Amino acid sequence: MSGVNRLPAPAGLLVDHDQPISFEFEGKRYKGLAGDCIASALAANDQWLISRSFKYHRPRGVLTMAGQDANVLVQLPTDPNVLADRYPITEGLRVHGQHYTGSLEKDRDAWIGTFAKFLPIGFYYKAFYKPKGAWQKWAPLIRRKAGLGVVDPTVDPGYYDKQYKFYDVVVIGGGPAGMQAAVTAAQAGAEVLLVDENPVLGGSLTYARFDIDEPNSEVTRQRLLAAIKASEHIEVMTDATCNGWFTDNWLAVIRGKRLYKVRAREVVLAAGVMEQPATFGNNDLPGVVLGSAAQRLIRLYGIRPGRRAVILTGNDDGYGVALDLAAVGIDVAAIVDMRSQSRSTPLVDAVREGGIKVILGHTVYEAIGTDRHIKAVMVSRIIRRGQCEDTGDVIDCDLLCVSVGYIPTYQLALHAGAKLHYDDESAMFSISDVPQHMRLAGSVNGIYDLDAVLADGRRAGWLAANALGLKWEREPLAPENTGASGRNFAWPIFPHPNGKDFVDYDEDLQVADIINATRDGYEDVQLVKRYSTVGMGPSQGRNSALTTARLVADAMGRTVAETGVTTARPPFAPERIAHCAGRSFYPERHSSMHHRHLEAGAQMLLAGVWLRPAYYGGKGERDRCMSEESLNVRNNVGLVDVSTLGGIEVRGPDAGEFMNRIYTFAYVKQQVGRGRYVVMTNEQGVVIDDGVACRFHEHLYYVTATTGGVDRVYQNMLRWNAQWRLNIDVGHVTNAWCGVNIAGPRSRDVLAKLCTDVDLSAQGFPYMGVREGRVAGIPARLLRVGFVGELGYEVHVPQHGGEALWDAMMEAGYAEGIKPFGIETQRLLRLEKGHIIIGQDTDAMSHPGEVHLAWAIARKKPFFVGGRSIQEIERRPFSRKLAGFVVNDLAAPIPQESHLVLRDNAMTGRVTSCYYSPTIGKPIGLAFMAPDQAVPGQTVSIRSTGGVLVRAEIVELPFYDPENKRQEM
Amino acid sequence: MATTQPAQHPRRSMIYRILREAGAEFEALADAAVAMRYADGGDEVALARRLGLADLSPLARTGFKGRDTPDWLVTQQVAIPDEPGQARRQSDDALVLRLSADEHVIVSDLRTRSELPATLDAEWQLSAERMCYHMPRADSYCWFAISGECATEMLAKVCGVDLRLDKFDDGRIAQTSLARINAVIVRNDLGTTPAFYVLADSASADYLWPCLIDAMKEFEGGIVGLAALRALV
Amino acid sequence: MKIVPCPLNGPRNISEFAYGGEVELMPDPNTSSSEEWAEYIFFSDNPAGVVREWWCHSATSYWFIAERNTVTDEIVRTYPASELFKERVEFKKESE
């Protein structure tokens, strides 16, 4: 037997009586059935206390049985805040209640509740915000007392992933309206996805009582299930939650460990309604449940939810609940009907015929209980709206079912821009302004009568298909009898003089808290929410929005319609960060010589998305390796991988004119076979990229760009020419080429062994010359450039030849002592030569004049991008200048990037690059500073590591080989 | 055909080391070595029908771009697609992809009978009279094939374009984001088996390949050699 | 996730695109006043209503024009930049 409250087989649509499952709650073993959720399995064993409340540590248990409340949040070893009324039990599952000190049964912090009166909303902030700093001290203590579950950071969350899905029509909600809408849309030929958060389709058909003939709903469900099964066009996702609507019908649907990114052409929202609690004293005691929760326990899980029950109702649905309880042998002590009279309907008549006592015009004044469960209710006569006598009859019971009304499951519609309206006449919320490509169907649309619900589903499915141009029979008419009338009792709120009349169970907010918020001056419902935190808990106002709106309206003397409600935003239900993160994608680019660097023992570093060798050697050997590598370039020959450099081809009859407009220098007259430095500025005159333009043909410039900047350079070029309409074509060829820079006084000797079809002599291939030839048999583009300040050649070959080129170079240079060098070493070498790196030695304000690039501007051209702005800038005094400095005190801590340049303790600039230079014999660097500081011979202060002030001497650039003899050898 | 090792050839797949680790048997093909089958690969044809991933990077391909490109290709007897975003199969089974009005990519057939990419590369010259420029696509793109009945669903894990077979016809091209990098995806069914070619940044091949294999796992897909794809045609 | 209809690639998720700002016509850089130039460089009209904007499809680096309503975020129309920029643009110095 799986618990004292379990009904005999075959009761319970979801459970399998032949499959017992044992699990633990609070260290005690329980038996449930396959198909049980945690809460149902506990209820079967008469364990109703599931957790403690957020603020007052009140005992809490099942309220909605629909995953709509925070009362049933429990802790699993792997997960906090799991909804016990949704999460299925599995063999050996270990479950704990949350938020108590000591034990769930005897929470040592339960005393806090007795001080509730002294903890009005805003109490913590009001009490602890003075003196300054007090809140920082108190907050951790207070938050420890109030909080949810515990995250175990060592738990491996497992494999989460995302997937796109595309459908013509997505129907959200698999109740009668949704099932029917799916069937109709599919009949018209639409590809349909039907999403439901429950394990089986059917929605209210699986638990609710629509009429006296109870089996009718199961017959309807089976008929719809058969139609869905028969259709080739319907995909069903159960146990799946549509957690948000985003622009253009992009739906986030979560199932298991996957987030589906569903794109729907049309959406039918058939999400149903959420039953609402009533407000009275101790309305949160375990054993006080919604009528629909009791029905779910009975029909879905085969559980008798009590032995002696009282029904508190304001509509006819409470009578249906009474019949359901009686049918499973529960003694229904009374129906307490808030209405002063009831109509004669089949349900009401059936109850009366069954001999169940009905007390009209009364309400429950308070629930009376132990510290863990309800044991009786006091029933009092209603005097006027919201007020009842404070005495009455006490009726013993262990179950109180509440049926006083509903709100539509409005969230997704509101995400899409629909509005929630309140009709003071019917006391109901309704959804209006539903956007294009979305339709409502069923009870979310304010339709309750089952035949009308099905008709509404049919109509919504038809309209969705029709919007897609799919024709199917005639347009179904909108149902006439909605069955909505009388569903909501207008004012099921009876504040108790001692409080504990909860409006928001998540946040432990009582009627007085909401009223006090309005008295503290927060008169708008949005402000009430922010001040009191009503609706901000895990259930996001599902059980509190309606009561809050009514209370605020009443307190302000307005109608509920005028008061409005707060906004609904995604997510619909709490979601895991793992769902948002999904599988991690970290794109990473490798040069074709990548594996050779690894084999040579390089320390790799991520430069943008490229992995590049920093230097070759052990982790702690950076300084030594850089020193050796740099000296080998200066004295011998070194090899560096420059494959990551951007490569763009500008080609066509107007290529020269285009280059003239896009870069600052002059290119029209550049000779074929020559390279020329390029600087790109944006329209503000700010330096954004540089490189070398190699003219290989009258109509072809091969332009290099910075590793991180090339994509932007390429897009810039295309955008400008979309306006200029010059006769050119631009090709992005970065990944088609790879290359090395072979540099050092012996580089020519090495290259000569591999390249015989190019005259490599100083006259035949001068500095800034460019050539095409073969290197190691591979077709190559050779650029004689001097970034590191020595004789050197960049050799670019097609990507596929990179590894072979590297191998050939290393082999050919063996006798000359060739060594690879990394980009850290390259940065040091170029710094010695005084070359700036765009993005490191420049920022988003740097114009050419302040970073020593004024020489690269051709001022006679009619136009280049940024030219006019540079003119304007240069007419004004400079605010800063980049200057080279050396640190003569070798004992001083070497300045780092972004260390401040000071004058009289005030910042005038910052260091952009700084290294110890083995060639110069001291630290050298570049820094922005005030123009009058940037004069060679002057000394400035830099606040270096540890706040130490370091004296730096300003020097002329470059630091190394000012006559450029080395690179022009 | 005799087996070989990629490092013995001037043209190497960007991921030849990964393929070698996976047990690839390589065969020489022009100036490159292609993974023909895998040791312990089992029934690779059945795998390719279900969900297979193959590296075609060593196969020939080229590209041309510029205003006069369509005209030049026509003078070279190439049947170019009518619209951008379409691919057209040639009589020798080479495939011509039209990426935009003036940019085309030409890829080899799986049996490498087509001479078209090599012929075009040989015929083309930079000319002042004609705005048709070479795009070295054999080097800028790695080239993978994803085949089988689960290909669409697996691609939906890494790509936001609707590639369902009834919405994305054989011969359609999507230039889009695939696992966060830019890629050209072209549907090119192999016989009756749905298949997609993926052309993506060659420098990202080391990243993309394992990323796709990871996405394939839940469908029980796997790596297949060129021989398996040939068997489908 | 908004869908942007790209004139080259068809409807795609907006995450495939980069926004390029309002389409603004450059005043003559050689004759305009400093004030006119500063206005062009630093100010946008930012009207509430339909605006012409530059958008770029990242995977193809394809620039096009979108007419978008900044109030409703509705994209009214997209088209190739050549519809707007039909003529070759020349720059001449004042003195020439």
Side-chain angles (χ1 to χ4, degrees):
Chain A
M1 192 68 184
S2 62
V4 293
N5 290 332
R6 186 76 68 178
L7 298 164
L13 180 66
L14 299 180
V15 292
D16 180 352
H17 288 261
D18 297 328
Q19 268 201 70
I21 284 179
S22 78
F23 69 105
E24 267 180 35
F25 180 68
E26 289 289 311
K28 198 176 148 196
R29 292 199 80 73
Y30 290 90
K31 277 247 182 324
L33 297 176
D36 261 328
C37 59
I38 296 167
S40 68
L42 290 175
N45 291 283
D46 223 26
Q47 173 66 40
W48 294 94
L49 172 61
I50 292 180
S51 75
R52 291 275 170 172
S53 73
F54 179 67
K55 197 159 136 195
Y56 301 137
H57 294 250
R58 303 262 303 174
R60 291 283 165 80
V62 163
L63 176 66
T64 64
M65 273 313 285
Q68 307 285 14
D69 62 275
N71 285 2
V72 293
L73 291 182
V74 291
Q75 175 87 41
L76 302 184
T78 52
D79 287 299
N81 307 325
V82 166
L83 285 166
D85 57 358
R86 299 207 63 86
Y87 197 92
I89 56 166
T90 49
E91 191 62 40
L93 185 71
R94 285 187 295 131
V95 186
H96 277 90
Q98 283 187 174
H99 197 229
Y100 55 80
T101 309
S103 77
L104 176 64
E105 304 281 325
K106 289 193 167 26
D107 182 350
R108 287 205 301 274
D109 281 339
W111 58 269
I112 294 174
T114 58
F115 288 91
K117 224 173 238 172
F118 308 108
L119 296 170
I121 53 158
F123 167 77
Y124 291 108
Y125 296 102
K126 284 175 183 165
F128 294 102
Y129 94 105
K130 273 181 185 171
K132 194 166 178 253
W135 177 244
Q136 276 74 14
K137 194 171 135 220
W138 283 99
L141 293 172
I142 294 164
R143 294 218 164 106
R144 204 173 306 149
K145 291 288 176 203
L148 296 173
V150 180
V151 177
D152 179 353
T154 64
V155 169
D156 175 4
Y159 186 91
Y160 281 75
D161 207 355
K162 302 178 192 176
Q163 187 170 19
Y164 280 95
K165 292 229 170 223
F166 305 88
Y167 299 93
D168 294 333
V169 178
V170 172
V171 180
I172 298 156
M179 291 168 92
Q180 182 62 59
V183 168
T184 304
Q187 279 171 334
E191 295 289 330
V192 180
L193 173 69
L194 177 57
V195 180
D196 193 89
E197 61 179 357
N198 297 293
V200 297
L201 290 180
S204 56
L205 294 174
T206 63
Y207 66 85
R209 176 185 282 264
F210 283 89
D211 48 31
I212 297 306
D213 287 329
E214 189 199 327
N216 272 356
S217 42
E218 187 55 20
V219 170
T220 304
R221 193 174 85 94
Q222 290 300 339
R223 179 176 60 75
L224 289 168
L225 281 176
I228 287 167
K229 205 174 168 196
S231 171
E232 286 178 7
H233 298 294
I234 304 175
E235 186 180 329
V236 176
M237 259 199 222
T238 49
D239 283 317
T241 305
C242 180
N243 227 18
W245 180 100
F246 299 86
T247 307
D248 289 337
N249 279 347
W250 192 100
L251 305 164
V253 177
I254 292 173
R255 185 174 63 179
K257 290 185 169 177
R258 183 152 299 185
L259 170 67
Y260 291 98
K261 304 185 271 189
V262 177
R263 182 75 78 173
R265 293 170 71 194
E266 297 288 326
V267 168
V268 175
L269 183 65
V273 289
M274 297 177 284
E275 192 163 32
Q276 294 295 295
T279 311
F280 53 86
N282 291 332
N283 61 346
D284 63 331
L285 261 184
V288 180
V289 303
L290 300 180
S292 54
Q295 290 175 314
R296 285 178 205 257
L297 282 168
I298 294 169
R299 289 222 176 75
L300 296 177
Y301 301 102
I303 283 161
R304 188 193 54 192
R307 290 167 191 82
R308 183 176 158 84
V310 170
I311 315 276
L312 173 62
T313 191
N315 57 29
D316 286 357
D317 290 341
Y319 290 75
V321 173
L323 293 179
D324 285 343
L325 297 181
V328 295
I330 296 172
D331 172 14
V332 180
I335 294 180
V336 180
D337 192 333
M338 293 173 174
R339 298 174 294 186
S340 52
Q341 50 190 352
S342 62
R343 292 175 299 180
S344 168
T345 64
L347 273 179
V348 173
D349 295 345
V351 164
R352 290 187 186 278
E353 281 159 24
I356 295 172
K357 183 177 167 191
V358 175
I359 309 170
L360 290 169
H362 281 62
T363 186
V364 169
Y365 173 72
E366 63 182 5
I368 300 160
T370 62
D371 57 355
R372 281 157 43 191
H373 205 76
I374 187 171
K375 62 177 188 185
V377 290
M378 183 193 275
V379 173
S380 302
R381 196 173 61 84
I382 296 172
I383 304 166
R384 61 177 71 86
R385 193 186 81 148
Q387 200 187 342
C388 62
E389 291 174 347
D390 55 8
T391 56
D393 294 335
V394 173
I395 305 177
D396 288 346
C397 63
D398 63 353
L399 175 67
L400 173 64
C401 298
V402 179
S403 297
V404 294
Y406 305 88
I407 59 172
T409 308
Y410 55 82
Q411 290 87 340
L412 290 166
L414 266 58
H415 298 173
K419 303 260 185 307
L420 198 56
H421 281 285
Y422 189 80
D423 176 20
D424 287 295
E425 195 67 33
S426 67
M428 280 185 132
F429 276 131
S430 65
I431 299 169
S432 67
D433 300 278
V434 178
Q436 241 191 330
H437 309 301
M438 178 183 268
R439 281 165 188 81
L440 306 182
S443 53
V444 73
N445 201 20
I447 292 163
Y448 289 79
D449 173 79
L450 182 55
D451 289 332
V453 162
L454 293 169
D456 200 40
R458 195 173 294 117
R459 180 176 160 80
W462 189 94
L463 288 170
N466 192 59
L468 298 169
L470 299 166
K471 300 288 171 209
W472 169 257
E473 297 184 346
R474 272 189 311 139
E475 178 176 347
L477 296 176
E480 279 174 17
N481 173 29
T482 62
S485 167
R487 294 276 169 178
N488 276 18
F489 185 75
W491 201 265
I493 305 169
F494 296 91
H496 193 282
N498 295 333
K500 307 296 184 296
D501 41 7
F502 288 95
V503 174
D504 187 326
Y505 299 83
D506 303 14
E507 303 277 339
D508 272 351
L509 294 169
Q510 306 159 70
V511 172
D513 293 321
I514 306 301
I515 305 298
N516 287 340
T518 63
R519 293 197 181 134
D520 281 357
Y522 299 96
E523 301 178 350
D524 183 279
V525 72
Q526 299 277 5
L527 297 177
V528 169
K529 173 178 175 176
R530 280 150 184 80
Y531 184 59
S532 69
T533 70
V534 66
M536 290 165 101
S539 57
Q540 290 286 293
R542 285 167 172 74
N543 307 304
S544 61
L546 179 59
T547 308
T548 304
R550 284 170 172 164
L551 286 172
V552 173
D554 197 47
M556 304 313 303
R558 294 181 302 217
T559 64
V560 178
E562 285 164 348
T563 305
V565 287
T566 57
T567 314
R569 296 186 186 86
F572 169 75
E575 63 192 19
R576 291 157 188 275
I577 290 172
H579 277 125
C580 299
R583 188 156 67 106
S584 56
F585 292 102
Y586 294 108
E588 197 177 274
R589 302 179 80 180
H590 295 168
S591 117
S592 56
M593 302 158 206
H594 176 74
H595 293 275
R596 291 294 185 252
H597 306 319
L598 300 181
E599 288 155 16
Q603 297 300 318
M604 304 301 283
L605 74 84
L606 203 57
V609 288
W610 288 94
L611 261 191
R612 306 186 66 183
Y615 60 91
Y616 297 79
K619 265 206 162 64
E621 300 179 307
R622 175 178 175 271
D623 292 350
R624 184 183 64 76
C625 293
M626 282 176 64
S627 176
E628 285 177 13
E629 289 172 14
S630 71
L631 291 171
N632 194 53
V633 173
R634 293 276 175 250
N635 301 320
N636 213 14
V637 56
L639 189 68
V640 62
D641 181 356
V642 296
S643 305
T644 65
L645 270 187
I648 289 173
E649 286 191 353
V650 175
R651 42 222 184 170
D654 288 329
E657 170 65 17
F658 179 76
M659 291 293 291
N660 251 18
R661 294 184 187 187
I662 210 86
Y663 288 111
T664 59
F665 228 166
Y667 301 93
V668 173
K669 290 176 186 157
Q670 182 182 347
Q671 288 171 358
V672 171
R674 296 290 294 174
R676 185 164 284 188
Y677 184 60
V678 296
V679 177
M680 181 177 278
T681 51
N682 64 13
E683 285 197 287
Q684 286 81 43
V686 171
V687 177
I688 55 172
D689 209 73
D690 71 348
V692 174
C694 311
R695 197 165 198 180
F696 283 111
H697 184 280
E698 193 70 12
H699 287 200
L700 169 64
Y701 291 82
Y702 175 59
V703 192
T704 66
T706 60
T707 299
V710 63
D711 291 337
R712 188 177 51 178
V713 167
Y714 177 62
Q715 287 192 352
N716 261 347
M717 287 180 168
L718 294 179
R719 178 169 165 175
W720 279 115
N721 206 48
Q723 298 166 68
W724 298 335
R725 306 294 306 267
L726 297 179
N727 263 332
I728 54 140
D729 176 74
V730 186
H732 192 332
V733 294
T734 301
N735 48 13
W737 293 88
C738 60
V740 295
N741 181 13
I742 181 168
R746 306 182 77 176
S747 56
R748 183 181 285 132
D749 303 340
V750 177
L751 187 58
K753 296 182 200 177
L754 299 170
C755 175
T756 52
D757 57 351
V758 175
D759 174 5
L760 296 177
S761 69
Q763 301 74 28
F765 189 178
Y767 181 64
M768 289 312 277
V770 298
R771 297 288 184 270
E772 287 178 292
R774 296 181 90 83
V775 176
I778 309 166
R781 287 175 171 173
L782 293 88
L783 289 53
R784 212 188 133 182
V785 291
F787 190 49
V788 300
E790 298 293 341
L791 169 69
Y793 303 84
E794 276 190 18
V795 181
H796 296 198
V797 299
Q799 191 274 344
H800 74 265
E803 222 170 69
L805 176 74
W806 182 270
D807 292 347
M809 288 280 193
M810 290 300 290
E811 199 185 315
Y814 182 78
E816 284 77 7
I818 194 168
K819 279 202 176 74
F821 63 100
I823 56 163
E824 282 264 56
T825 308
Q826 189 188 34
R827 285 175 187 168
L828 162 64
L829 292 166
R830 65 84 206 179
L831 177 63
E832 290 173 346
K833 192 62 189 152
H835 291 305
I836 63 165
I837 294 180
I838 308 295
Q840 171 158 346
D841 304 302
T842 69
D843 57 28
M845 301 287 284
S846 306
H847 60 89
E850 63 180 29
V851 292
H852 299 269
L853 291 176
W855 61 273
I857 296 172
R859 294 176 191 273
K860 288 182 185 158
K861 298 195 285 192
F863 173 81
F864 66 91
V865 177
R868 173 63 195 268
S869 291
I870 290 169
Q871 268 180 27
E872 296 286 339
I873 291 164
E874 288 183 341
R875 266 197 265 145
R876 294 160 174 78
F878 283 20
S879 59
R880 61 176 186 172
K881 203 155 172 26
L882 193 71
F885 67 86
V886 297
V887 177
N888 295 312
D889 175 7
L890 293 182
I894 298 178
Q896 308 283 312
E897 288 158 29
S898 292
H899 281 171
L900 301 184
V901 177
L902 303 173
R903 172 156 54 200
D904 305 333
N905 235 4
M907 180 184 101
T908 55
R910 61 183 172 84
V911 175
T912 62
S913 290
C914 187
Y915 285 109
Y916 173 80
S917 163
T919 301
I920 308 297
K922 49 182 107 170
I924 60 171
L926 296 171
F928 279 114
M929 58 192 67
D932 63 304
Q933 288 180 305
V935 179
Q938 293 223 55
T939 300
V940 297
S941 286
I942 295 170
R943 191 189 285 146
S944 185
T945 308
V948 177
L949 286 183
V950 172
R951 310 279 291 163
E953 182 192 343
I954 307 304
V955 296
E956 292 279 5
L957 291 175
F959 302 95
Y960 176 71
D961 184 27
E963 287 91 39
N964 294 332
K965 283 185 178 152
R966 309 277 304 178
Q967 66 193 23
E968 290 171 16
M969 268 165 61
Chain B
M1 214 181 281
T3 58
T4 182
Q5 281 303 316
Q8 294 166 354
H9 300 264
R11 176 179 293 281
R12 297 163 201 179
S13 166
M14 306 77 192
I15 54 164
Y16 78 83
R17 287 177 176 81
I18 300 179
L19 303 183
R20 202 172 52 193
E21 289 288 304
E25 289 175 15
F26 296 93
E27 281 183 17
L29 210 70
D31 57 348
V34 65
M36 199 56 82
R37 62 189 65 76
Y38 291 82
D40 310 323
D43 185 351
E44 288 185 28
V45 179
L47 195 57
R49 286 210 173 94
R50 176 172 181 71
L51 179 59
L53 174 66
D55 176 34
L56 304 179
S57 301
L59 272 57
R61 58 201 174 279
T62 189
F64 300 93
K65 185 165 177 270
R67 198 184 57 196
D68 300 329
T69 300
D71 291 346
W72 181 73
L73 288 173
V74 168
T75 65
Q76 299 296 315
Q77 318 300 322
V78 177
I80 61 171
D82 298 330
E83 298 278 331
Q86 303 280 353
R88 188 158 169 186
R89 208 161 292 152
Q90 309 293 297
S91 57
D92 63 358
D93 279 349
L95 199 63
V96 175
L97 285 60
R98 186 166 194 172
L99 301 186
S100 66
D102 61 3
E103 179 167 11
H104 292 70
V105 172
I106 299 95
V107 305
S108 163
D109 65 308
L110 293 182
R111 296 195 189 280
T112 62
R113 284 188 297 230
S114 170
E115 303 277 314
L116 189 57
T119 310
L120 292 173
D121 276 346
E123 288 293 316
W124 178 83
Q125 275 192 320
L126 182 59
S127 157
E129 272 68 59
R130 188 181 59 224
M131 288 189 66
C132 172
Y133 306 102
H134 186 228
M135 291 298 289
R137 292 305 183 188
D139 288 291
S140 66
Y141 287 151
C142 58
W143 176 11
F144 301 153
I146 298 167
S147 68
E149 60 197 20
C150 300
T152 298
E153 220 188 322
M154 170 269 188
L155 280 167
K157 289 177 66 180
V158 285
C159 174
V161 175
D162 185 358
L163 299 174
R164 283 177 298 162
L165 299 179
D166 57 337
K167 309 284 171 185
F168 194 80
D169 299 333
D170 196 15
R172 271 273 296 279
I173 294 172
Q175 298 178 75
T176 183
S177 170
L178 179 78
R180 289 206 178 153
I181 63 170
N182 292 335
V184 178
I185 300 171
V186 51
R187 178 161 168 210
N188 182 52
D189 288 358
L190 302 175
T192 56
T193 305
F196 298 88
Y197 286 163
V198 171
L199 299 167
D201 170 29
S202 54
S204 301
D206 274 346
Y207 154 78
L208 184 59
W209 181 266
C211 191
L212 293 175
I213 288 178
D214 183 71
M216 292 167 75
K217 271 186 193 147
E218 68 183 86
F219 308 102
E220 283 152 19
I223 313 176
V224 298
L226 176 60
L229 297 191
R230 283 177 172 173
L232 297 178
V233 185
Chain C
M1 175 85 75
K2 193 171 180 61
I3 290 175
V4 177
C6 171
L8 175 63
N9 296 285
R12 290 292 175 82
N13 289 340
I14 197 169
S15 57
E16 291 197 19
F17 297 85
Y19 172 65
E22 285 178 27
V23 174
E24 285 184 85
L25 298 183
M26 186 195 288
D28 188 326
N30 295 313
T31 59
S32 57
S33 68
S34 295
E35 287 68 32
E36 282 169 335
W37 190 254
E39 172 80 21
Y40 164 67
I41 293 291
F42 295 112
F43 292 88
S44 285
D45 290 343
N46 195 26
V50 175
V51 177
R52 277 198 307 223
E53 296 170 336
W54 284 102
W55 284 82
C56 179
H57 181 248
S58 305
T60 49
S61 295
Y62 176 76
W63 286 100
F64 59 95
I65 310 290
E67 289 178 1
R68 190 177 66 91
N69 187 318
T70 55
V71 179
T72 61
D73 196 26
E74 183 199 358
I75 295 176
V76 182
R77 195 164 86 90
T78 60
Y79 49 90
S82 56
E83 273 189 35
L84 208 55
F85 300 95
K86 297 193 169 86
E87 304 280 320
R88 179 189 172 101
V89 173
E90 299 290 355
F91 294 97
K92 288 218 162 39
K93 280 250 173 185
E94 215 175 348
S95 55
E96 288 174 60

